[in-house]
Amino acid sequence: MDISPPFGYRDVKALNRIDYVRFPAQGEVPPFVKDTAIVPLSIGEMVSASAHYPLVFVHDSLHDRVGLVAMLGLATGENLFYTASGWKTDAYQPAYIRRFPFCIAKVSASEQTDPNLLVCVEKDYVIGEARDGYRRLLDDDGKATQEWQKVETFLREYQADLERTSAFCKRLVELKLLDPLTATFTQADKKSWNVSGFLGINEGRLAQLGEETVMEWHRNGWLSRAYLHLFSLQRMQRLLHDKLGLSAAASEGLQRQD
C-alpha cells in the first residue's frame, strides 16, 4: 500500500487504534510552513483569508491541475506570517495548517488508486505507547474518543471543501478565465522587481460570462469567490510592507499576460 502525502507532509501513515499522537503545542506550526511562500486554501476559507492574504491560483504540473493558495511571502521560501512565537495572532490561519499532523490522503496499491480516502497522520508525531504529551484517539475496539470525533469531523468537512475548490478551479480552466499573473513592486529608491509564477482571474472575461453560466456560478457561490480573489490582490501591498518593515516604502502594480 502506497500513501501519497499531501504538500508539505514528509511521511504519513494510516491512523490506527494503537497510535498515540502528539498534537502541536500552542503557537506551533508544521515544519514546512516556516519555509514556504504559499499554502493551499479551500473555497470556504476565502472570505476570512481575503482580509489577510493575496489569494491566487497555481498550476500543479505534477498532477496537471490548478489549485487555490494563499500567498505568505514575495520570495521562494519566505513566510511573512510566521514569527519566532508562532503564527501572527492578527492573521487568519488556514485550515491546511490547523489540521496538521492529520490529513486525508489517497492510497494506491499495484499502481491502482483507491477511490476511498484514508485518515492519516505524520509519522514523526506518532508513537505506539503511552507517553506524556501524546494522546490515544481510538480505544482497543477502534471506537473514537470524543476528542477524535471532533478532529475527524473537521478533517472530513475540510476535505469536502477541498473537493468543492477543485471543482471551482476546474471550471476556471474550462472557461479559460485564468491568466499568468505578475506583481511588479517598486521601492522608494526606484528599485523594482517582479513576483510571478501565479495565475489570476481575468476580470474582463469574467464580466463576459453568459447568463446561463452566471446563474450556475451564483448557485455554486463561485461568482462571489471570483471577486474575492480579485479583491484580495490588494493584499500584495501588505506583504511588501511586512517584508520591508516600512509604512510607505513602495508602489505596486499588477500585470496579466494575455
Side-chain angles (χ1 to χ4, degrees):
M1 183 174 68
D2 183 32
I3 303 176
S4 301
F7 165 75
Y9 288 70
R10 295 172 181 169
D11 191 12
V12 299
K13 66 178 290 294
L15 182 69
N16 62 55
R17 63 189 182 187
I18 65 171
D19 288 336
Y20 290 81
V21 180
R22 181 178 74 80
F23 282 53
Q26 182 70 30
E28 182 182 357
V29 297
F32 73 90
V33 170
K34 302 173 184 178
D35 301 311
T36 182
I38 61 172
V39 68
L41 201 74
S42 71
I43 194 170
E45 300 179 273
M46 291 183 72
V47 173
S48 298
S50 63
H52 304 278
Y53 313 99
L55 311 183
V56 295
F57 302 89
V58 294
H59 179 247
D60 178 356
S61 57
L62 180 63
H63 301 97
D64 192 23
R65 64 191 180 196
V66 168
L68 174 67
V69 300
M71 285 182 63
L72 309 176
L74 298 176
T76 302
E78 177 181 76
N79 185 344
L80 298 171
F81 292 87
Y82 173 75
T83 68
S85 57
W87 204 259
K88 285 188 175 180
T89 56
D90 63 342
Y92 172 78
Q93 188 177 98
Y96 196 91
I97 298 171
R98 288 184 278 119
R99 75 172 180 173
F100 192 85
F102 303 101
C103 67
I104 294 183
K106 292 183 178 180
V107 179
S108 60
S110 302
E111 300 184 353
Q112 296 294 319
T113 301
D114 191 325
N116 297 312
L117 298 175
L118 191 65
V119 176
C120 297
V121 61
E122 184 75 69
K123 284 184 178 179
D124 289 346
Y125 288 70
V126 181
I127 58 176
E129 59 186 14
R131 186 184 301 175
D132 288 345
Y134 287 77
R135 313 176 198 177
R136 190 174 183 187
L137 303 174
L138 303 171
D139 63 21
D140 290 336
D141 297 323
K143 185 177 179 180
T145 63
Q146 288 187 347
E147 182 176 37
W148 175 243
Q149 288 174 4
K150 294 178 182 178
V151 173
E152 186 177 27
T153 297
F154 166 67
L155 289 173
R156 296 199 180 280
E157 289 178 349
Y158 179 59
Q159 185 64 34
D161 202 31
L162 288 178
E163 292 172 4
R164 289 189 286 268
T165 309
S166 295
F168 174 50
C169 292
K170 182 179 180 180
R171 195 71 173 119
L172 287 170
V173 172
E174 290 173 348
L175 295 175
K176 297 180 172 59
L177 290 176
L178 296 174
D179 286 335
L181 183 65
T182 298
T184 301
F185 298 92
T186 304
Q187 296 180 203
D189 61 4
K190 306 303 181 181
K191 181 181 179 181
S192 64
W193 76 95
N194 294 332
V195 176
S196 59
F198 301 106
L199 301 170
I201 294 175
N202 185 299
E203 189 172 2
R205 292 203 293 274
L206 179 66
Q208 294 172 4
L209 291 178
E211 182 177 347
E212 185 175 337
T213 302
V214 169
M215 293 303 297
E216 170 203 354
W217 280 48
H218 269 304
R219 287 193 300 270
N220 291 323
W222 294 346
L223 196 60
S224 62
R225 295 310 193 269
Y227 282 104
L228 271 175
H229 149 70
L230 294 169
F231 162 78
S232 76
L233 296 180
Q234 300 176 55
R235 303 297 171 236
M236 293 279 189
Q237 193 64 37
R238 171 176 175 169
L239 293 184
L240 182 61
H241 172 273
D242 290 348
K243 181 180 180 70
L244 300 179
L246 301 174
S247 59
S251 61
E252 166 264 328
L254 289 172
Q255 303 171 357
R256 285 180 175 77
Q257 300 172 16
D258 297 320

